[in-house]
Amino acid sequence: MSRVDKVVGMAAFYCGFPPEICKIIRDSLEIDWRTFGRKRRYLHGHTGAVYSTAWSFDGTKLATASEDRTVRVWDVTNRFKCISVLEHNQSVNSVSWSPDSRFLATGSNDKRVYLWRTSDFSIIHSMSDHARVVRSVCWSPDGAFLAAGGKEEAIVLWDSKTGTHVRSEHIDLGGSGLDSSSFPVVRVIEASSSSLWSIAWSLSGKELASGSWVDDAVKIWDARTGRHVKSLRGHRSFVCSVAWAHKRDRIAS
């Protein structure tokens, strides 16, 4: 038994800490605080501000989106060598990997969402139905759908296989209820007066969270119906980013 295991065991036995607290203690003890937070490497290549970064789920690549109208893909296994430069017509605000790391989605000020195949970084879909700037793109946990939103005050759900969206009342997103026969069936979620800044799927794929520029709130949406479920208030200014916890129904904003 390691020293960390002994300390965590003593905390549970003598203090009666629940498993959740014991896990936090374990994670804290396993961090090398002497090097935590130090800069490890600079990645040079962008000529403008970097607006979004995303690790591939297999941990081998890093994608960065920039004001310079490009997305750069860096190979972690080869000393962070830049292996591809993907171009938009205007600033790129968001980048997101599919859960299997086979595809990359990007959203831009040019009102487009591009879907790239990561084997050769070719464009397989260009989704141009957005009326205004796209600030956030995010894959559903099963990789079947892509959520995108921004200044147009709506969350658009795209079928990632075809790059199309259709308004429909008969859809089922995420979880065991996903019906592949419904493709391509997605929804446009009207987000009222909220200019969207960030979108995130719940782990189940049945809900979406959005951060707003206007009403200073995190909003929860039913991805299957488009219904507004609740608003989480407490921020005193706009919400730039939202993220669901991977194992619990918690949201950071």
Side-chain angles (χ1 to χ4, degrees), residues 82-101:
C82 181
I83 58 174
S84 188
V85 179
L86 316 177
E87 296 183 352
H88 273 266
N89 294 321
Q90 294 186 36
S91 300
V92 189
N93 298 314
S94 183
V95 59
S96 180
W97 294 86
S98 65
D100 59 8
S101 300

Side-chain angles (χ1 to χ4, degrees), residues 120-174:
D120 56 5
F121 291 103
S122 60
I123 296 177
I124 58 175
H125 291 301
S126 173
M127 290 89 100
S128 58
D129 286 0
H130 285 273
R132 302 181 71 182
V133 167
V134 179
R135 284 204 183 107
S136 182
V137 292
C138 185
W139 291 85
S140 63
D142 59 11
F145 298 95
L146 185 70
K151 283 189 175 181
E152 63 188 329
E153 302 171 358
I155 301 173
V156 180
L157 305 187
W158 300 89
D159 174 6
S160 64
K161 295 183 179 179
T162 64
T164 59
H165 80 269
V166 180
R167 289 178 181 267
S168 174
E169 297 296 330
H170 307 288
I171 62 176
D172 192 1
L173 302 180

Side-chain angles (χ1 to χ4, degrees), residues 232-249:
L232 307 178
R233 301 191 181 277
H235 289 285
R236 298 180 180 179
S237 187
F238 52 85
V239 181
C240 294
S241 183
V242 292
W244 287 84
H246 288 292
K247 295 184 179 180
R248 300 180 66 89
D249 291 332

